[in-house]
Amino acid sequence: MNVNKFYGLNELRKMYLDFFQSKGHLVMKSFSLIPHNDNSLLLINSGMAPLKPYFTKQEIPPCPRVTTCQKCIRTGDIENIGKTDRHGTFFEMLGNFSFGDYFKHEAIAWSWEFLTQVIGLEEDRLYPSVYVDDDEAFDIWNKEIGIPAERIFRFGKEDNFWEHGAGPCGPCSEIYYDRGEKYGCGKPDCTVGCDCDRYMEVWNNVFTQFENDGNGHYELLESKNIDTGMGLERLATIVQDVDSIFDVDTIKALREQVCQMAGVKYKENPKADVSIRIITDHIRSVTFMVSDGILPSNEGRGYVLRRLLRRAARHGRLLGITEKFLTTLSDTVIETSKDGYPELEEKKDFIFKIISEEEDKFNRTLDQGLGILKDMKAQILAGGGDVLSGDDAFKLYDTYGFPLDLTEEILEEDGITIDQEGFKAAMDRQRDMARKARKTTNYMGADVTVYQSIDPAVTSRFVGYEYTKYTSKISVLTTEEEIVEALVDGQNGTIIVDETPFYATSGGQEADTGIITWGDSVFAVKDTIKLSGGKIGHVGTVVKGMFKTGDSVELAIDEKKRSDTAKNHSATHLLQKALQMVLGSHVQQAGSSNNDKHLRFDFTHFSPMTADELKRVEDIVNDEIEANLPVLTKIMDLDEAKKTGAMALFGEKYDKDVRVVTMGDFSKELCGGTHVSNTGVIRAFKIVSEAGVAAGVRRIEALTGDGVFNYYAGLEQELKEAAHAAKAEPFALVKRIEALMDEVKTLSSENEKLKNKMAREALGDVMDQVQDIKGTALLAVKVDGVDMNGLMNLGDQLKARLGQGVIVLASEKDGKVNLLSMATDEAMKNGAHAGNLIKGIAKLVGGGGGGRPNMAQAGGKNPAGIDNALKEAAQVLESQLR
Ligand code: ATP
Ligand code: MG
């Protein structure tokens, strides 16, 4: 053991955060795995990612020094999992950050102090590396810390320079730990920087000192930043002197549970070990992702979750686990991590439910996929081949979650191989498509807009909880392209003021619209948006006059729109509570949108709601409206608010102080929206639809206030018109419609009978036209105005009357000819063939056709040829008969 004391993973996390707190850092909670306003990332993959707005100065950080322990997911490392000692798809990243505050000297000195003094690692085992041109960092390590020059490694851009397109970037200094020869690859040139597991990278210090203009031109930044990242699991691996991150205290407990479930021992069979580690890792990712509100789906984050979960489930099968097992493991993840992440415990039931459903679903598709693979195999063998096409292998991989090695394994038994090249090509095609679908974004992952160039010191205060009209000063004006000093008649643009009563779209509530005036000048506000750094933008058009920066303007919102929107928003709160009462506590908000017309609420639930459930929900909400509950808002500390049981959203980034909206004792939610003062104001609530929108997510659309009355007025009008059309009173309409339907039924069947009768009559008495051809009866006749269906009916009737023989019917309808021929069994025995017969005569009516020996049909364009065709029928039949 090279350290004096054993520290657990949870302990190390605390030691790190405490250490940097003692160096003047603000400790912030881990951000959600879902990136906020950043479409360059699917999932948060470093401590720095959620802090980007502070680095770019679009938002002002709460403190110039921050430290976090951030949950991270790196799907790029998925192929490494189980194979290296140091990679997980999920891991926690410790980080200390400086926003224009301290720089290299402090960052390097503190990382050294923490590793050697606080943790007590042996100095001789630690090796720093610097960027090849970064003499400054080299000197700090060498002269200030006292590391001999030959122990400091210089690496190139690929390893030691952090950059991501245009934006802030800079050199890195990584710290490696020598775990000893037994972890080495044994190659003679194995040293720091080797890909093997001996020299393990623990900590990466990024010195953000340049700004890349996007064309490879680097400008020195005036205020330089520090961004560091150290894998908590890797630190624990070293401190606990164990083989890999899978042997660290908390993770080991999980790994042992996997072994126990599978009845296998760790470190007996290398292949099984990989499966064990994959399951151990993936279940951690899965548990944390679901706790942040990610649900399995076929795209984006949901797909990452699905893939990890299914991969874990499949490796379970490979190990011989036959029962469902993932929720049991998830429970262990929660138990060992809830210390640092209390949300895991809070969302426990929900997490289990999602995992369990998806595991069931996978077990079903797995069986299905095995069936399909069996068919593919049979087809290959039947065709005498021995290769499965790349496309088929990819289909199994993509649709049924079959990794290539599983397909390979199953086919091996029959000596079949996979077209690996073809598989790779199919995979590349799909990657290409995905790449094309991705949009180009800037460093922040947002579309580049004019708003980025606004001074970050500009902010707006929302005064719309108290006021619907307000006077305030214009701080910034922009057109769609640039910041301007004035906006004139006809121009589109954005106005930013110091204080505004306009509510910007957020929390599912649609923005206020209205007007801004200055003297005679009028600006029509079409939308209100939240901009970064606490600014509120009024987007619209100058319809009269002009506006200048510094003007004191009158802001007035559309009050009717605001009050109708408030009804729908407040009703949404009542609805959520009512759904939980009727369906259960698993109901969570998954999305919401409300405006002055209606409300839409998405929530987690697994089956369609019954009519009875919908009615109960509607009744509860209407009862609470009738109860005239006072609606109150209060600003509280987030933790305090959660303690009172206020409903909060998954994965939402809340400030420390939050606004809590209560409706009597009935509902309590964190919400920044504008609400009615009393539930009675809502007047009425009506659900108009309920449907599924994604796996496990349902959507309700509903109306309130005038919306309900307009809805019923529309229905009433419809009903009256329908009654009028049916010549009945509205309340007798059902009876009337039933009577009409009966009448229609009687008339239809009468009509059918008449049609048959008419067809028979059109034929007259045809039986005296029967000819004898070599002892076989032939009936070849013309009927008028009958379609092909009619001919078939007729043919069947004539056949019954004829007994045995051949029938040929021709009819002219709408200038076209229909021909039908039938032969009975007896006639066929003698050589008659209806198909050939019709082929022989169809050309005489300008058409073609054919069919089976017993029945055939044809069409033609020349009615004048009908008589000849019927004569010809006798000739053709004669030639057929023996
Ligand atoms: P490696 O080359 O070992 O994959 P990296 O260069 O990708 O590491 P960074 O992007 O610099 O790592 O991340 C900072 C720190 O986060 C690393 O020094 C390491 O301690 C940790 N880390 C990175 N990837 C993982 C992972 N997949 N699992 C666990 N820890 C990780
Ligand atoms: Mg890496």
Side-chain angles (χ1 to χ4, degrees), residues 74 77 80 87 234:
R74 286 197 183 177
D77 280 336
N80 285 329
H87 289 100
R234 288 196 192 176

Side-chain angles (χ1 to χ4, degrees), residues 575 578-579 582-584 586-587 603 605-619 686-692 698-700:
L575 171 63
L579 284 168
V582 172
L583 301 177
H586 62 275
V587 168
F603 57 100
H605 183 56
F606 299 90
S607 49
M609 287 177 68
T610 63
D612 175 58
E613 286 166 344
L614 286 167
K615 168 107 181 26
R616 272 157 60 206
V617 167
E618 228 171 57
D619 287 349
K686 167 80 194 143
I687 295 174
V688 290
S689 74
E690 190 273 342
R698 312 289 306 172
R699 168 172 296 174
I700 278 184

